[in-house]
């Protein structure tokens, strides 16, 4: 709103009075630099060029009516075309001011009033409407009476300036890649949620959303593919949130939801439970089907924080707790998580030094042929003996290693050590055994992974046929063309491939056939209740039969009881591993097992 300096009598040296533009109803030209400023009750004088007034006051609603009148369109309530009078207020009241215009200017006045009305709709309409509006304005400029040409040109210039300003404001508050609100707008909305909740006595939730293993997509397919995935994801998230709620891109593959006006925490929980369904359908990017999952953390106002940073931090802590549980789930914040978060930070710091301090070791669990009862190989399993905490559970440090990228140097070390140890046992005269090494998703998607395998085999001298690389079912389903290409190269080397934890993901049988793996490992979650749960028994039976049809070896993991063993033998399972024969043991104990020639079936 502009401030207009005026005088009461138009004489030089008179006291200057400041009038707000919204109080002005019309402006009349008297001479070139002498104009009268009308408010509803008074009139004032202004020493200013009439020709420049419309542009100066355009944003406040002033438009040129004819060659000697500028009116504030915000005060126009009626136009009498017959009399050529514009009423600046209620036309039925005696004191309402008006502006006269020649009848020949009727079309111009109607154009201005219509353009003003249409301009207010531009923000709410689509681009097609704006195109029509601009074309109409262009036509008016091309055919306008010379005295009104500047008025129309001013309308166009100010509209263009408005659009540029709106674009700058949008850029300041929105993410350039996804077009979602950014951190700045997020903090504004959080402040609004705080104020509303305090006033209404309601609650709201902050939900921290992070894609699982998004780095793998960027590293293997390129950042341009990752960017397109994020753009598609943003569209899904926009559709998923309700009108009263809010979603913003926080950074990278992290997004923040605000769930407003909650009556109970269950509303946030139900929202989080729906996210896996939202991500169930694959994202199609450059003809690739990409499946993603997410880890979600929830914090609630006011119990989990009364400030933005606290709520965001606690939602972040809860999200990382979800990642620790394997991802594709949600966690509601609890104060105990702060202690765990600090422990997790210390764990990461110490893990970065564990390799050079030689705190890692490898245990070996025998793989047994069910037809002969003999050990034909072993799976190597990483162990960490921390100098203060002792043995750290693999379930605790391996997900952290994967998340931080430390799994690559650690996993490559395990691969080299396993090949070296296996070769040493052969040189000591033990029968040739096939060593199985778990390969993480980050390792497998290294651009030089095939070279890493070749180097491990070359340095150890191990026959490639005595190395089996285990990849999980979910890894196999990420970027299938790349996986198939890598598997073909590994087979050319002579390396064996097995699919680990089979049955827990979403493999297509057609893909399984194309992978041409050597072994299908049935996840222990199915084996655990195979003798008491009919569904599990049916699944295991079907998996064994399917592997036989595809000419793939079937191996059951986590076999612990004689009843489970008997069931698997009866169904024709080829191989097993588990406590029923031996737990994972250090290299020295595994060597003793070889010396004793331990077998499943006593001789």
């Amino acid at each position: 709103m502009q401030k207009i300096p005026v005088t009461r009598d138009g004489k030089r040296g008179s006291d200057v009075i400041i009038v707000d533009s919204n109080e002005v109803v019309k402006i009349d030209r008297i001479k070139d630099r002498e104009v009268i400023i009308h408010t509803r009750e008074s009139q004032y004088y202004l020493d200013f060029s009439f020709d420049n007034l419309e542009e100066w006051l355009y944003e406040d609603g002033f438009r040129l009516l004819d060659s000697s009148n500028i009116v504030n369109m915000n005060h126009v309530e009626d136009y009498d075309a017959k009399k050529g009078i514009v009423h600046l207020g209620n036309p039925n009241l005696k004191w309402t001011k008006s502006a006269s215009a020649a009848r020949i200017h009727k079309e111009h006045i109607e154009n201005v009033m219509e353009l003003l009305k249409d301009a207010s709709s531009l923000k709410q309409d689509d681009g097609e409407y704006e195109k029509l509006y601009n074309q109409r304005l262009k036509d008016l400029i091309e055919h306008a009476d010379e005295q009104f040409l500047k008025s129309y040109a001013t309308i166009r210039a100010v509209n263009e300036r408005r659009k540029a300003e709106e674009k700058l404001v949008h850029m300041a508050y929105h993410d350039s890649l996804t077009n979602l609100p950014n951190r700045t707008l997020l903090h504004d909305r959080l402040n609004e949620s705080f104020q509303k909740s305090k006033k209404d006595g309601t609650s709201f939730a902050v939900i921290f959303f992070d894609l699982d293993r998004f780095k793998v997509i960027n590293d293997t397919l390129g950042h341009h593919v990752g960017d397109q995935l994020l753009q598609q994801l943003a569209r899904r998230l926009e559709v998923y949130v309700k009108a009263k709620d809010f979603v913003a891109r926080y950074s990278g593959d992290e997004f923040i939801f605000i769930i407003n006006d909650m009556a109970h925490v269950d509303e946030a929980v139900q929202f989080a439970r729906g996210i896996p369904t939202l991500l169930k359908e694959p994202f199609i990017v450059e003809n690739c089907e990409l499946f993603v999952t997410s880890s979600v953390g929830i914090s609630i106002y006011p119990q989990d924080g009364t400030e933005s940073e606290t709520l965001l931090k606690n939602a972040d802590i809860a999200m990382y707790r979800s990642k620790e549980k394997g991802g594709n789930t949600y966690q509601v914040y609890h104060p105990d998580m702060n202690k765990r978060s600090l422990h997790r930070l210390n764990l990461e710091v110490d893990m970065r030094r564990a390799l050079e301090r030689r705190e890692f070791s490898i245990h070996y669990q025998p793989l047994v042929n069910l037809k002969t009862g003999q050990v034909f190989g072993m799976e190597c399993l990483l162990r960490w003996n921390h100098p203060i905490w002792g043995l750290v559970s693999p379930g605790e440090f391996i997900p952290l290693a994967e998340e931080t990228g430390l799994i690559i140097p650690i996993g490559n070390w395990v691969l080299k050590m396993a090949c070296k140890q296996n070769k040493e046992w052969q040189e000591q005269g033990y029968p040739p055994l096939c060593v199985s090494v778990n390969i993480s998703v980050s390792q497998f998607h290294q651009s030089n992974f095939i070279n890493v395998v070749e180097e491990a085999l070359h340095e150890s001298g191990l026959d490639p046929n005595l190395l089996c690389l285990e990849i999980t079912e979910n890894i196999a389903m990420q970027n299938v063309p790349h996986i198939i290409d890598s598997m073909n190269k590994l087979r050319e080397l002579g390396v064996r491939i097995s699919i680990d934890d089979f049955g827990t993901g979403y493999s297509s049988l057609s893909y399984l056939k194309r992978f041409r793996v050597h072994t299908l490992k049935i996840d222990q979650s199915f084996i655990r209740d195979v003798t008491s749960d009919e569904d599990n028994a049916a699944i295991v039976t079907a998996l064994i039969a399917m592997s036989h049809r595809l000419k793939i070896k079937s191996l059951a993991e986590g076999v612990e009881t004689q009843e489970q063993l008997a069931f698997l033998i009866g169904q024709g399972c080829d191989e097993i591993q588990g406590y029923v024969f031996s737990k994972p043991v250090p290299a020295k104990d595994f060597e003793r097992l070889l010396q004793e020639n331990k077998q499943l079936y006593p001789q």
Side-chain angles (χ1 to χ4, degrees), residues 485-509:
D485 180 61
S486 297
M487 286 185 173
N488 288 337
K489 291 177 180 177
L490 290 169
R491 268 194 302 272
E492 290 173 5
L493 289 177
V495 174
R496 295 172 175 268
I497 304 288
S498 71
I499 297 291
D500 197 12
D501 301 336
F502 192 82
T504 60
Y506 33 70
S507 286
S508 162
L509 297 185

PDB file of all heavy atoms in Angstrom, residues 485-509:
ATOM      1  N   ASP A 485      23.256 -58.978 -15.566  1.00  0.00           N
ATOM      2  CA  ASP A 485      24.546 -58.765 -16.230  1.00  0.00           C
ATOM      3  C   ASP A 485      25.699 -59.134 -15.303  1.00  0.00           C
ATOM      4  O   ASP A 485      26.656 -59.809 -15.724  1.00  0.00           O
ATOM      5  CB  ASP A 485      24.655 -57.302 -16.661  1.00  0.00           C
ATOM      6  CG  ASP A 485      25.968 -57.000 -17.370  1.00  0.00           C
ATOM      7  OD1 ASP A 485      26.220 -57.621 -18.432  1.00  0.00           O
ATOM      8  OD2 ASP A 485      26.753 -56.174 -16.871  1.00  0.00           O
ATOM      9  N   SER A 486      25.627 -58.722 -14.046  1.00  0.00           N
ATOM     10  CA  SER A 486      26.693 -59.035 -13.087  1.00  0.00           C
ATOM     11  C   SER A 486      26.761 -60.528 -12.818  1.00  0.00           C
ATOM     12  O   SER A 486      27.855 -61.099 -12.713  1.00  0.00           O
ATOM     13  CB  SER A 486      26.465 -58.277 -11.774  1.00  0.00           C
ATOM     14  OG  SER A 486      26.517 -56.880 -11.977  1.00  0.00           O
ATOM     15  N   MET A 487      25.588 -61.178 -12.692  1.00  0.00           N
ATOM     16  CA  MET A 487      25.575 -62.622 -12.447  1.00  0.00           C
ATOM     17  C   MET A 487      26.195 -63.384 -13.622  1.00  0.00           C
ATOM     18  O   MET A 487      26.924 -64.378 -13.425  1.00  0.00           O
ATOM     19  CB  MET A 487      24.142 -63.097 -12.205  1.00  0.00           C
ATOM     20  CG  MET A 487      23.585 -62.712 -10.846  1.00  0.00           C
ATOM     21  SD  MET A 487      21.946 -63.433 -10.586  1.00  0.00           S
ATOM     22  CE  MET A 487      21.659 -62.987  -8.880  1.00  0.00           C
ATOM     23  N   ASN A 488      25.913 -62.937 -14.828  1.00  0.00           N
ATOM     24  CA  ASN A 488      26.501 -63.595 -16.005  1.00  0.00           C
ATOM     25  C   ASN A 488      28.023 -63.494 -15.983  1.00  0.00           C
ATOM     26  O   ASN A 488      28.728 -64.457 -16.300  1.00  0.00           O
ATOM     27  CB  ASN A 488      25.953 -62.975 -17.290  1.00  0.00           C
ATOM     28  CG  ASN A 488      24.504 -63.365 -17.548  1.00  0.00           C
ATOM     29  OD1 ASN A 488      24.025 -64.392 -17.052  1.00  0.00           O
ATOM     30  ND2 ASN A 488      23.796 -62.555 -18.323  1.00  0.00           N
ATOM     31  N   LYS A 489      28.535 -62.331 -15.596  1.00  0.00           N
ATOM     32  CA  LYS A 489      29.990 -62.146 -15.527  1.00  0.00           C
ATOM     33  C   LYS A 489      30.605 -63.017 -14.439  1.00  0.00           C
ATOM     34  O   LYS A 489      31.700 -63.569 -14.614  1.00  0.00           O
ATOM     35  CB  LYS A 489      30.313 -60.668 -15.282  1.00  0.00           C
ATOM     36  CG  LYS A 489      29.983 -59.772 -16.467  1.00  0.00           C
ATOM     37  CD  LYS A 489      30.255 -58.316 -16.155  1.00  0.00           C
ATOM     38  CE  LYS A 489      29.927 -57.427 -17.358  1.00  0.00           C
ATOM     39  NZ  LYS A 489      30.120 -55.980 -17.048  1.00  0.00           N
ATOM     40  N   LEU A 490      29.898 -63.142 -13.308  1.00  0.00           N
ATOM     41  CA  LEU A 490      30.402 -63.990 -12.218  1.00  0.00           C
ATOM     42  C   LEU A 490      30.402 -65.460 -12.628  1.00  0.00           C
ATOM     43  O   LEU A 490      31.329 -66.211 -12.302  1.00  0.00           O
ATOM     44  CB  LEU A 490      29.553 -63.786 -10.958  1.00  0.00           C
ATOM     45  CG  LEU A 490      29.712 -62.422 -10.266  1.00  0.00           C
ATOM     46  CD1 LEU A 490      28.641 -62.229  -9.204  1.00  0.00           C
ATOM     47  CD2 LEU A 490      31.110 -62.295  -9.644  1.00  0.00           C
ATOM     48  N   ARG A 491      29.353 -65.869 -13.357  1.00  0.00           N
ATOM     49  CA  ARG A 491      29.315 -67.253 -13.832  1.00  0.00           C
ATOM     50  C   ARG A 491      30.443 -67.526 -14.826  1.00  0.00           C
ATOM     51  O   ARG A 491      31.004 -68.617 -14.861  1.00  0.00           O
ATOM     52  CB  ARG A 491      27.956 -67.556 -14.471  1.00  0.00           C
ATOM     53  CG  ARG A 491      26.939 -68.127 -13.490  1.00  0.00           C
ATOM     54  CD  ARG A 491      25.740 -68.722 -14.203  1.00  0.00           C
ATOM     55  NE  ARG A 491      25.086 -67.715 -15.038  1.00  0.00           N
ATOM     56  CZ  ARG A 491      24.136 -66.899 -14.589  1.00  0.00           C
ATOM     57  NH1 ARG A 491      23.752 -66.971 -13.331  1.00  0.00           N
ATOM     58  NH2 ARG A 491      23.584 -66.017 -15.391  1.00  0.00           N
ATOM     59  N   GLU A 492      30.762 -66.517 -15.635  1.00  0.00           N
ATOM     60  CA  GLU A 492      31.883 -66.678 -16.569  1.00  0.00           C
ATOM     61  C   GLU A 492      33.199 -66.890 -15.822  1.00  0.00           C
ATOM     62  O   GLU A 492      34.087 -67.600 -16.303  1.00  0.00           O
ATOM     63  CB  GLU A 492      31.989 -65.449 -17.472  1.00  0.00           C
ATOM     64  CG  GLU A 492      30.852 -65.334 -18.480  1.00  0.00           C
ATOM     65  CD  GLU A 492      30.886 -64.018 -19.240  1.00  0.00           C
ATOM     66  OE1 GLU A 492      31.860 -63.241 -19.032  1.00  0.00           O
ATOM     67  OE2 GLU A 492      29.965 -63.759 -20.034  1.00  0.00           O
ATOM     68  N   LEU A 493      33.296 -66.288 -14.629  1.00  0.00           N
ATOM     69  CA  LEU A 493      34.481 -66.511 -13.793  1.00  0.00           C
ATOM     70  C   LEU A 493      34.487 -67.910 -13.197  1.00  0.00           C
ATOM     71  O   LEU A 493      35.540 -68.427 -12.808  1.00  0.00           O
ATOM     72  CB  LEU A 493      34.529 -65.501 -12.644  1.00  0.00           C
ATOM     73  CG  LEU A 493      34.842 -64.040 -12.975  1.00  0.00           C
ATOM     74  CD1 LEU A 493      34.777 -63.195 -11.702  1.00  0.00           C
ATOM     75  CD2 LEU A 493      36.221 -63.919 -13.604  1.00  0.00           C
ATOM     76  N   GLY A 494      33.287 -68.529 -13.092  1.00  0.00           N
ATOM     77  CA  GLY A 494      33.161 -69.833 -12.463  1.00  0.00           C
ATOM     78  C   GLY A 494      32.647 -69.768 -11.046  1.00  0.00           C
ATOM     79  O   GLY A 494      32.556 -70.791 -10.353  1.00  0.00           O
ATOM     80  N   VAL A 495      32.269 -68.555 -10.595  1.00  0.00           N
ATOM     81  CA  VAL A 495      31.775 -68.369  -9.223  1.00  0.00           C
ATOM     82  C   VAL A 495      30.320 -68.820  -9.140  1.00  0.00           C
ATOM     83  O   VAL A 495      29.533 -68.613 -10.061  1.00  0.00           O
ATOM     84  CB  VAL A 495      31.911 -66.895  -8.817  1.00  0.00           C
ATOM     85  CG1 VAL A 495      31.267 -66.642  -7.456  1.00  0.00           C
ATOM     86  CG2 VAL A 495      33.372 -66.480  -8.796  1.00  0.00           C
ATOM     87  N   ARG A 496      29.963 -69.438  -8.005  1.00  0.00           N
ATOM     88  CA  ARG A 496      28.585 -69.869  -7.777  1.00  0.00           C
ATOM     89  C   ARG A 496      27.775 -68.721  -7.173  1.00  0.00           C
ATOM     90  O   ARG A 496      28.326 -67.834  -6.508  1.00  0.00           O
ATOM     91  CB  ARG A 496      28.541 -71.066  -6.823  1.00  0.00           C
ATOM     92  CG  ARG A 496      29.196 -72.319  -7.393  1.00  0.00           C
ATOM     93  CD  ARG A 496      29.286 -73.408  -6.329  1.00  0.00           C
ATOM     94  NE  ARG A 496      29.798 -74.638  -6.907  1.00  0.00           N
ATOM     95  CZ  ARG A 496      29.038 -75.610  -7.420  1.00  0.00           C
ATOM     96  NH1 ARG A 496      27.714 -75.466  -7.400  1.00  0.00           N
ATOM     97  NH2 ARG A 496      29.574 -76.696  -7.932  1.00  0.00           N
ATOM     98  N   ILE A 497      26.448 -68.775  -7.384  1.00  0.00           N
ATOM     99  CA  ILE A 497      25.540 -67.757  -6.851  1.00  0.00           C
ATOM    100  C   ILE A 497      24.399 -68.452  -6.117  1.00  0.00           C
ATOM    101  O   ILE A 497      23.844 -69.439  -6.607  1.00  0.00           O
ATOM    102  CB  ILE A 497      24.938 -66.881  -7.969  1.00  0.00           C
ATOM    103  CG1 ILE A 497      26.033 -66.235  -8.819  1.00  0.00           C
ATOM    104  CG2 ILE A 497      24.008 -65.818  -7.393  1.00  0.00           C
ATOM    105  CD1 ILE A 497      26.786 -65.146  -8.132  1.00  0.00           C
ATOM    106  N   SER A 498      24.047 -67.923  -4.954  1.00  0.00           N
ATOM    107  CA  SER A 498      22.859 -68.427  -4.251  1.00  0.00           C
ATOM    108  C   SER A 498      21.980 -67.244  -3.860  1.00  0.00           C
ATOM    109  O   SER A 498      22.463 -66.147  -3.597  1.00  0.00           O
ATOM    110  CB  SER A 498      23.242 -69.238  -3.010  1.00  0.00           C
ATOM    111  OG  SER A 498      23.752 -68.397  -1.997  1.00  0.00           O
ATOM    112  N   ILE A 499      20.671 -67.502  -3.841  1.00  0.00           N
ATOM    113  CA  ILE A 499      19.707 -66.493  -3.390  1.00  0.00           C
ATOM    114  C   ILE A 499      19.390 -66.783  -1.931  1.00  0.00           C
ATOM    115  O   ILE A 499      18.882 -67.854  -1.584  1.00  0.00           O
ATOM    116  CB  ILE A 499      18.412 -66.541  -4.226  1.00  0.00           C
ATOM    117  CG1 ILE A 499      18.700 -66.208  -5.691  1.00  0.00           C
ATOM    118  CG2 ILE A 499      17.387 -65.561  -3.671  1.00  0.00           C
ATOM    119  CD1 ILE A 499      19.083 -64.788  -5.952  1.00  0.00           C
ATOM    120  N   ASP A 500      19.710 -65.805  -1.068  1.00  0.00           N
ATOM    121  CA  ASP A 500      19.544 -65.973   0.374  1.00  0.00           C
ATOM    122  C   ASP A 500      18.182 -65.466   0.822  1.00  0.00           C
ATOM    123  O   ASP A 500      17.571 -64.611   0.179  1.00  0.00           O
ATOM    124  CB  ASP A 500      20.662 -65.204   1.085  1.00  0.00           C
ATOM    125  CG  ASP A 500      20.836 -65.638   2.528  1.00  0.00           C
ATOM    126  OD1 ASP A 500      20.260 -66.674   2.909  1.00  0.00           O
ATOM    127  OD2 ASP A 500      21.556 -64.948   3.273  1.00  0.00           O
ATOM    128  N   ASP A 501      17.691 -65.997   1.953  1.00  0.00           N
ATOM    129  CA  ASP A 501      16.415 -65.556   2.559  1.00  0.00           C
ATOM    130  C   ASP A 501      15.259 -65.652   1.575  1.00  0.00           C
ATOM    131  O   ASP A 501      14.364 -64.795   1.564  1.00  0.00           O
ATOM    132  CB  ASP A 501      16.521 -64.106   3.063  1.00  0.00           C
ATOM    133  CG  ASP A 501      17.608 -63.943   4.101  1.00  0.00           C
ATOM    134  OD1 ASP A 501      17.947 -64.954   4.750  1.00  0.00           O
ATOM    135  OD2 ASP A 501      18.127 -62.834   4.269  1.00  0.00           O
ATOM    136  N   PHE A 502      15.251 -66.660   0.734  1.00  0.00           N
ATOM    137  CA  PHE A 502      14.213 -66.740  -0.284  1.00  0.00           C
ATOM    138  C   PHE A 502      12.837 -66.941   0.355  1.00  0.00           C
ATOM    139  O   PHE A 502      12.686 -67.678   1.325  1.00  0.00           O
ATOM    140  CB  PHE A 502      14.475 -67.883  -1.274  1.00  0.00           C
ATOM    141  CG  PHE A 502      13.594 -67.818  -2.489  1.00  0.00           C
ATOM    142  CD1 PHE A 502      13.911 -66.995  -3.544  1.00  0.00           C
ATOM    143  CD2 PHE A 502      12.417 -68.551  -2.555  1.00  0.00           C
ATOM    144  CE1 PHE A 502      13.098 -66.889  -4.653  1.00  0.00           C
ATOM    145  CE2 PHE A 502      11.589 -68.466  -3.651  1.00  0.00           C
ATOM    146  CZ  PHE A 502      11.931 -67.637  -4.710  1.00  0.00           C
ATOM    147  N   GLY A 503      11.847 -66.255  -0.221  1.00  0.00           N
ATOM    148  CA  GLY A 503      10.477 -66.344   0.281  1.00  0.00           C
ATOM    149  C   GLY A 503      10.064 -65.138   1.088  1.00  0.00           C
ATOM    150  O   GLY A 503       8.889 -64.955   1.386  1.00  0.00           O
ATOM    151  N   THR A 504      11.043 -64.266   1.443  1.00  0.00           N
ATOM    152  CA  THR A 504      10.714 -63.092   2.272  1.00  0.00           C
ATOM    153  C   THR A 504      10.508 -61.846   1.435  1.00  0.00           C
ATOM    154  O   THR A 504      10.073 -60.824   1.941  1.00  0.00           O
ATOM    155  CB  THR A 504      11.843 -62.818   3.285  1.00  0.00           C
ATOM    156  OG1 THR A 504      13.059 -62.559   2.553  1.00  0.00           O
ATOM    157  CG2 THR A 504      12.043 -64.007   4.198  1.00  0.00           C
ATOM    158  N   GLY A 505      10.816 -61.898   0.146  1.00  0.00           N
ATOM    159  CA  GLY A 505      10.688 -60.724  -0.719  1.00  0.00           C
ATOM    160  C   GLY A 505       9.579 -60.878  -1.715  1.00  0.00           C
ATOM    161  O   GLY A 505       8.517 -61.415  -1.415  1.00  0.00           O
ATOM    162  N   TYR A 506       9.854 -60.463  -2.946  1.00  0.00           N
ATOM    163  CA  TYR A 506       8.785 -60.455  -3.942  1.00  0.00           C
ATOM    164  C   TYR A 506       9.312 -60.923  -5.291  1.00  0.00           C
ATOM    165  O   TYR A 506       9.054 -60.333  -6.317  1.00  0.00           O
ATOM    166  CB  TYR A 506       8.182 -59.046  -4.091  1.00  0.00           C
ATOM    167  CG  TYR A 506       9.159 -57.929  -3.886  1.00  0.00           C
ATOM    168  CD1 TYR A 506      10.168 -57.678  -4.826  1.00  0.00           C
ATOM    169  CD2 TYR A 506       9.099 -57.143  -2.732  1.00  0.00           C
ATOM    170  CE1 TYR A 506      11.063 -56.667  -4.633  1.00  0.00           C
ATOM    171  CE2 TYR A 506      10.006 -56.122  -2.548  1.00  0.00           C
ATOM    172  CZ  TYR A 506      10.985 -55.880  -3.504  1.00  0.00           C
ATOM    173  OH  TYR A 506      11.878 -54.865  -3.299  1.00  0.00           O
ATOM    174  N   SER A 507      10.132 -61.962  -5.280  1.00  0.00           N
ATOM    175  CA  SER A 507      10.722 -62.430  -6.525  1.00  0.00           C
ATOM    176  C   SER A 507       9.677 -62.987  -7.474  1.00  0.00           C
ATOM    177  O   SER A 507       8.738 -63.659  -7.067  1.00  0.00           O
ATOM    178  CB  SER A 507      11.756 -63.527  -6.237  1.00  0.00           C
ATOM    179  OG  SER A 507      12.926 -62.982  -5.700  1.00  0.00           O
ATOM    180  N   SER A 508       9.878 -62.710  -8.741  1.00  0.00           N
ATOM    181  CA  SER A 508       9.088 -63.324  -9.797  1.00  0.00           C
ATOM    182  C   SER A 508       9.794 -64.597 -10.222  1.00  0.00           C
ATOM    183  O   SER A 508      11.020 -64.631 -10.343  1.00  0.00           O
ATOM    184  CB  SER A 508       8.967 -62.365 -10.984  1.00  0.00           C
ATOM    185  OG  SER A 508       8.575 -63.054 -12.133  1.00  0.00           O
ATOM    186  N   LEU A 509       9.031 -65.665 -10.444  1.00  0.00           N
ATOM    187  CA  LEU A 509       9.647 -66.932 -10.856  1.00  0.00           C
ATOM    188  C   LEU A 509      10.350 -66.784 -12.201  1.00  0.00           C
ATOM    189  O   LEU A 509      11.353 -67.448 -12.460  1.00  0.00           O
ATOM    190  CB  LEU A 509       8.582 -68.028 -10.925  1.00  0.00           C
ATOM    191  CG  LEU A 509       7.907 -68.374  -9.590  1.00  0.00           C
ATOM    192  CD1 LEU A 509       6.966 -69.547  -9.786  1.00  0.00           C
ATOM    193  CD2 LEU A 509       8.939 -68.693  -8.525  1.00  0.00           C
TER     194      LEU A 509
END
